[in-house]
Amino acid sequence: MAVTSRERVRAAAVKLFAAKGFHGTGIRDLAQEAELSSASLYHYMGTKEDLLVEIMTTALRRLVDAARQAVDEATGPADRVRALVALHVLAHALRPAETRVVDNEVDALSDEPRDRVVRLRDDYEKLWSDAIEEGVAAGVFHTTHPAVTRLALLEMCNGVARWYSPRGPLPLDQLAGHYTELALRALGCACPAGVSGSRREREIVAKVWGVPV
Amino acid sequence: MAVTSRERVRAAAVKLFAAKGFHGTGIRDLAQEAELSSASLYHYMGTKEDLLVEIMTTALRRLVDAARQAVDEATGPADRVRALVALHVLAHALRPAETRVVDNEVDALSDEPRDRVVRLRDDYEKLWSDAIEEGVAAGVFHTTHPAVTRLALLEMCNGVARWYSPRGPLPLDQLAGHYTELALRALGCACPAGVSGSRREREIVAKVWGVPV
Amino acid sequence: MAVTSRERVRAAAVKLFAAKGFHGTGIRDLAQEAELSSASLYHYMGTKEDLLVEIMTTALRRLVDAARQAVDEATGPADRVRALVALHVLAHALRPAETRVVDNEVDALSDEPRDRVVRLRDDYEKLWSDAIEEGVAAGVFHTTHPAVTRLALLEMCNGVARWYSPRGPLPLDQLAGHYTELALRALGCACPAGVSGSRREREIVAKVWGVPV
Amino acid sequence: MAVTSRERVRAAAVKLFAAKGFHGTGIRDLAQEAELSSASLYHYMGTKEDLLVEIMTTALRRLVDAARQAVDEATGPADRVRALVALHVLAHALRPAETRVVDNEVDALSDEPRDRVVRLRDDYEKLWSDAIEEGVAAGVFHTTHPAVTRLALLEMCNGVARWYSPRGPLPLDQLAGHYTELALRALGCACPAGVSGSRREREIVAKVWGVPV
DNA sequence: TATGAATGAGGGTTCATTCAT
DNA sequence: CATGAATGAACCCTCATTCAT
């Protein structure tokens, strides 16, 4: 059950990149947080940027995997958006550090890895636009600028990683439910009453992120 | 109507802090962008952090001023929220650099200036919470967690600064109108149809930011 | 008549690269020798390698310039070789540091600058092979492998930079004369008696290197 | 006839020290070349410098041993110099890596081992000066500065290690013969015609270096 | 025999900042 | 007003080396 040095390095990077930004985090900060010498860090990583890339791609791949699964299981566009929102919010609430890094540090990447990361993010957002457009086509959603709405909803949900605290008054499932309601309302959906909870998405998050949620 | 060096320095900082972050921007980058030597910069600024503080407080003060004015002129909670959203979106669309700095670089500040900035931001958000709570009390809005809703809407609108382009297909007033609609819907307001446009907010933005909008 | 910092940096590099090799010389060594902080070095140089490249190309260009001039003025192959040898020996005796860097540190260069340096060296050696081949064709020299002989003679003369001391017993002109004799003998030239001294080459060296020789 | 790890380490060091210099070669480079981990290297060597010392002293001892043998067998000063030159050239042509390390990396040694190495080199050069001075005394050689001539000839022959390739057009014995001729001519010896080939020296080299030459 | 883990020291380079001119 | 010169501290990263396994 030992925590390996490798894991400590990664955890330190996630924590500090989220808290102080990539450029605001020094190698010595990472070393101190990981309880290693700065030279030892380099047994477990390539460059500092490699570490960032690994964190971002892993996080994004998990998000994509989870979202694909949730979308596949959902029935109809409303439920699909509900699932996407719930998943996104839960992921941001439970993994705020990783998700903040993903949301804030894209500009810190150099060209090649940024392209790769952006491509992954595009894959993810495609799931959202498909669901939204499908709902619009089906007459379930009513929004004049679906692409803008998608961006607005995504940003709205991203914010959760910035302020949510598990020690706060709002239980996770209510948080997810609230955001789901906000999103579906914003989409002009008459359906909020009929949509289910977010139990299934919690399972997916727990499984994909491999933690006891 | 010459542009002073002081203005060029400030503009350079706004642009680069927005694009690469405070820690990602070097004094030499600023100097190059401002077409000055790095030593000359120090005739127009204190430390690099002073520059950041000045940018953030100015931007926030303008936002607060504009918002107060808009709120004062508005009639009823729905119109108040509409005005706040429109103003916020317009400001983020027209001043994406300043607003991105405000939204992303708070963590780069040291304790004392951060407190001041956070206090300003709290002043601003207070206008939002007041409007929302008033609407809830009046039975115009229906949301179970007004505070969460406020955060969600603010983040949603912040996103505009990340992607809006004046060269895109969406005119500014439609952008503002769309976000207004999303927000009021999310608030469970039956009123969207009855709310006016965003002409008045454009005037305020133009005046407060002192630019031909 | 002040010595500028820039000159001190260059002089330090020439001295230390010659004494300890490029890889054996640290930036901090250079700084100490130049009586500057290591950060200040970077006002006067690009990278450490840039400094090496500049030293090598300057030295080689001077050698080529001087040699071309000497060759042009010389009369006949024997005198041409005599002039080349005398010039080479004088340059290596008077500028041992620069010439040792040129002779020993080519491998320390990365691909692109190495190619440039090698091309310059080839230009220089071409003057030698032309003179030798001309002499062979004219029946003045007798050597079965002119190319090998050229390499042998060049290496022979390079050695001067490794051991010659102005405080030693051998005056410069005798040094040059001796090497001239060795070279012409090795070339199977019956002429040594008839060739002049090295006064003209000393003038050229003095002029090209810009020093009171 | 397996190649031991110890031998692989030594061979790697010889190759890399010759190609990139002592300071230009890292422990990790050696490990990679020897196909071992960098920690494992230390089973077969002391410090990196110990490795260099061992390589240099071995090479120099072999050179001294071979030269002594060649000198003992030679008859008269001309044949003695011929043998020394042939041996030196053959050794440098066949063992370019070792000889380049000996010729170029003396400055990389710290004081104590450098003294030892220099002493060995002096032993070797003594054989040359003895032969030359003997020849001068006997009236066989004619050179006004025998010590300078010795240095010139040694450097001339060292150069072979820098450029000779067994895949080139010049057979080894002709190479040796050519350098022999150059040397004896430079020494003002009327004898070149009468001197024998370099077969015996090839045998010595083969035996002392323990390889199929 | 062999290596993964670990590190203090140092590598080259850039940082934000000051100051004399 | 403007800057070249200058620097201590820090940057990311690699160095040669040790040691428990």
Side-chain angles (χ1 to χ4, degrees):
Chain A
M1 197 45 93
V3 175
T4 68
S5 291
R6 175 167 248 104
E7 288 162 343
R8 289 216 311 283
V9 170
R10 223 194 91 104
V14 168
K15 173 176 171 183
L16 295 181
F17 289 171
K20 321 200 303 179
F22 179 75
H23 290 304
T25 303
I27 282 289
R28 285 156 183 81
D29 299 327
L30 289 174
Q32 184 169 30
E33 178 74 27
E35 293 178 302
L36 247 51
S37 76
S38 62
S40 297
L41 287 183
Y42 287 86
H43 279 285
Y44 305 106
M45 50 179 266
T47 65
K48 197 178 92 161
E49 186 179 13
D50 289 340
L51 195 51
L52 176 61
V53 171
E54 197 275 331
I55 290 167
M56 296 188 85
T57 52
T58 300
L60 273 169
R61 260 197 282 268
R62 284 179 170 164
L63 208 50
V64 172
D65 287 349
R68 262 202 256 272
Q69 189 167 342
V71 162
D72 284 351
E73 298 176 2
T75 58
D79 192 41
R80 210 153 289 168
V81 164
R82 183 204 54 76
L84 285 170
V85 168
L87 198 69
H88 195 97
V89 165
L90 289 171
H92 280 69
L94 288 164
R95 292 287 159 191
E98 273 95 338
T99 47
R100 287 181 65 170
V101 172
V102 169
D103 292 336
N104 297 328
E105 302 301 328
V106 174
D107 291 342
L109 294 169
S110 47
D111 290 352
E112 195 267 328
R114 177 165 55 237
D115 287 350
R116 265 186 295 138
V117 163
V118 167
R119 221 171 298 129
L120 276 172
R121 204 182 52 182
D122 289 346
D123 289 346
Y124 179 67
E125 299 198 359
K126 182 74 161 48
L127 298 173
W128 283 63
S129 24
D130 284 352
I132 291 172
E133 279 161 23
E134 187 190 0
V136 170
V140 178
F141 301 153
H142 303 88
T143 181
T144 41
H145 306 287
V148 174
T149 304
R150 184 196 77 238
L151 288 165
L153 296 183
L154 273 165
E155 293 283 352
M156 178 180 88
C157 297
N158 286 341
V160 167
R162 281 199 241 256
W163 60 263
Y164 178 77
S165 161
R167 281 174 295 286
L170 200 61
L172 261 187
D173 57 346
Q174 288 192 33
L175 178 76
H178 188 63
Y179 270 82
T180 300
E181 187 180 35
L182 294 178
L184 290 175
R185 279 180 177 177
L187 282 163
C189 177
C191 44
V195 294
S196 62
S198 58
R199 208 170 316 131
R200 179 58 188 138
E201 286 77 33
R202 287 196 69 164
E203 289 171 17
I204 294 177
V205 166
K207 193 184 63 181
V208 169
W209 270 265
V211 287
V213 177
Chain B
M1 197 47 87
V3 175
T4 67
S5 291
R6 173 167 250 101
E7 287 163 344
R8 288 218 312 284
V9 170
R10 225 196 88 103
V14 167
K15 174 177 173 182
L16 295 181
F17 289 171
K20 321 199 304 178
F22 177 75
H23 291 303
T25 301
I27 280 290
R28 282 156 182 78
D29 298 325
L30 291 174
Q32 182 172 28
E33 179 74 27
E35 295 177 296
L36 251 55
S37 76
S38 59
S40 297
L41 284 184
Y42 286 87
H43 282 282
Y44 307 104
M45 50 178 268
T47 67
K48 199 178 107 172
E49 187 179 13
D50 290 341
L51 194 51
L52 175 61
V53 171
E54 195 277 330
I55 289 167
M56 296 187 85
T57 53
T58 300
L60 273 170
R61 260 197 283 268
R62 283 178 173 165
L63 207 52
V64 172
D65 288 349
R68 262 202 258 272
Q69 190 166 345
V71 162
D72 286 350
E73 299 177 2
T75 60
D79 192 42
R80 209 152 291 167
V81 165
R82 184 205 53 74
L84 286 169
V85 169
L87 197 71
H88 195 96
V89 165
L90 289 171
H92 279 70
L94 288 164
R95 292 287 158 192
E98 275 95 338
T99 47
R100 286 182 65 170
V101 171
V102 169
D103 292 338
N104 297 327
E105 302 300 329
V106 175
D107 291 342
L109 295 168
S110 47
D111 291 350
E112 193 269 327
R114 178 166 54 238
D115 287 349
R116 265 188 293 138
V117 164
V118 168
R119 224 171 297 129
L120 276 172
R121 202 183 55 185
D122 288 346
D123 290 346
Y124 179 66
E125 299 197 1
K126 182 74 160 49
L127 298 172
W128 283 61
S129 25
D130 285 353
I132 291 172
E133 278 161 22
E134 186 191 0
V136 171
V140 179
F141 301 154
H142 304 86
T143 180
T144 41
H145 306 286
V148 174
T149 305
R150 185 197 74 237
L151 289 165
L153 294 183
L154 274 165
E155 293 284 351
M156 178 180 87
C157 298
N158 287 341
V160 168
R162 283 203 241 260
W163 60 263
Y164 178 77
S165 162
R167 279 173 298 286
L170 200 60
L172 260 186
D173 57 347
Q174 287 191 34
L175 178 77
H178 188 63
Y179 270 83
T180 300
E181 188 180 34
L182 293 178
L184 290 174
R185 278 180 178 178
L187 284 163
C189 177
C191 44
V195 295
S196 62
S198 57
R199 207 171 316 130
R200 179 56 189 140
E201 286 77 33
R202 287 197 71 165
E203 290 170 18
I204 294 177
V205 166
K207 193 185 62 184
V208 170
W209 270 267
V211 289
V213 179
Chain C
M1 197 43 92
V3 175
T4 67
S5 291
R6 173 167 252 103
E7 287 162 343
R8 287 216 314 283
V9 169
R10 225 196 89 105
V14 168
K15 173 177 173 183
L16 294 181
F17 289 171
K20 321 201 301 178
F22 178 75
H23 290 305
T25 302
I27 281 290
R28 285 156 182 84
D29 298 327
L30 288 174
Q32 184 170 31
E33 178 74 26
E35 293 177 299
L36 248 52
S37 76
S38 61
S40 296
L41 288 183
Y42 286 86
H43 280 284
Y44 305 105
M45 51 178 265
T47 65
K48 198 178 89 161
E49 187 180 11
D50 289 341
L51 195 50
L52 175 61
V53 170
E54 196 277 330
I55 289 167
M56 296 187 84
T57 51
T58 299
L60 274 169
R61 260 197 282 267
R62 283 180 171 164
L63 208 51
V64 171
D65 288 349
R68 262 202 256 272
Q69 189 167 342
V71 161
D72 284 350
E73 298 177 2
T75 58
D79 192 41
R80 209 153 291 168
V81 165
R82 184 205 53 76
L84 285 169
V85 168
L87 197 69
H88 195 96
V89 165
L90 288 171
H92 279 67
L94 288 164
R95 291 287 158 191
E98 273 96 337
T99 47
R100 287 182 65 170
V101 172
V102 168
D103 293 337
N104 297 327
E105 301 301 329
V106 175
D107 290 342
L109 295 169
S110 47
D111 291 350
E112 195 267 328
R114 176 165 57 238
D115 287 350
R116 264 187 294 137
V117 163
V118 167
R119 222 171 298 130
L120 276 171
R121 205 184 50 184
D122 289 346
D123 290 345
Y124 179 65
E125 299 197 0
K126 182 75 162 48
L127 298 171
W128 283 62
S129 25
D130 284 352
I132 291 172
E133 279 161 22
E134 187 190 0
V136 170
V140 178
F141 301 153
H142 304 86
T143 180
T144 41
H145 305 287
V148 174
T149 304
R150 184 196 77 237
L151 289 165
L153 295 182
L154 274 165
E155 294 283 351
M156 179 179 86
C157 299
N158 286 342
V160 168
R162 281 201 244 261
W163 60 263
Y164 177 78
S165 162
R167 281 173 297 286
L170 199 61
L172 260 186
D173 57 347
Q174 288 192 33
L175 179 77
H178 188 64
Y179 270 82
T180 300
E181 187 180 38
L182 293 178
L184 289 174
R185 280 179 178 180
L187 283 163
C189 178
C191 44
V195 295
S196 61
S198 58
R199 207 170 315 128
R200 177 60 187 137
E201 285 78 32
R202 286 196 71 165
E203 290 170 17
I204 295 176
V205 166
K207 192 185 63 182
V208 170
W209 269 266
V211 288
V213 179
Chain D
M1 199 46 90
V3 175
T4 67
S5 291
R6 172 167 251 100
E7 287 163 345
R8 288 219 311 285
V9 170
R10 225 195 88 102
V14 168
K15 174 177 174 183
L16 295 181
F17 289 170
K20 321 200 298 180
F22 178 75
H23 290 303
T25 302
I27 280 291
R28 282 157 183 78
D29 298 326
L30 291 174
Q32 182 172 29
E33 180 74 26
E35 294 178 298
L36 250 54
S37 76
S38 58
S40 297
L41 285 184
Y42 285 87
H43 282 281
Y44 307 104
M45 51 178 267
T47 66
K48 200 178 106 171
E49 186 179 14
D50 290 340
L51 195 50
L52 176 61
V53 171
E54 196 277 331
I55 289 167
M56 297 187 85
T57 52
T58 300
L60 273 170
R61 259 197 284 268
R62 284 179 170 164
L63 209 50
V64 171
D65 288 349
R68 261 202 257 273
Q69 190 167 344
V71 162
D72 284 351
E73 298 177 3
T75 59
D79 193 40
R80 210 153 290 167
V81 163
R82 183 205 53 75
L84 285 169
V85 169
L87 197 69
H88 196 96
V89 165
L90 289 171
H92 279 69
L94 288 164
R95 292 288 159 191
E98 274 95 338
T99 47
R100 287 181 64 171
V101 172
V102 168
D103 293 337
N104 297 327
E105 301 302 328
V106 175
D107 291 341
L109 295 168
S110 45
D111 292 350
E112 192 269 328
R114 178 166 53 237
D115 288 350
R116 265 187 293 139
V117 163
V118 167
R119 223 170 298 130
L120 276 171
R121 203 183 53 184
D122 289 347
D123 290 346
Y124 179 67
E125 299 197 0
K126 183 72 163 46
L127 297 172
W128 283 62
S129 23
D130 285 353
I132 290 172
E133 279 161 21
E134 187 190 0
V136 170
V140 179
F141 300 152
H142 304 86
T143 180
T144 39
H145 305 286
V148 174
T149 306
R150 184 196 75 237
L151 289 165
L153 295 184
L154 274 166
E155 294 283 351
M156 179 180 86
C157 298
N158 286 343
V160 168
R162 282 200 239 255
W163 59 263
Y164 178 77
S165 162
R167 280 174 296 285
L170 200 59
L172 261 185
D173 57 347
Q174 288 192 33
L175 178 76
H178 189 64
Y179 271 82
T180 300
E181 188 180 34
L182 294 178
L184 290 174
R185 279 181 177 177
L187 283 163
C189 177
C191 45
V195 295
S196 61
S198 57
R199 207 171 314 130
R200 178 58 189 138
E201 286 76 31
R202 285 194 72 165
E203 289 170 17
I204 294 177
V205 166
K207 194 185 62 179
V208 170
W209 269 267
V211 288
V213 179

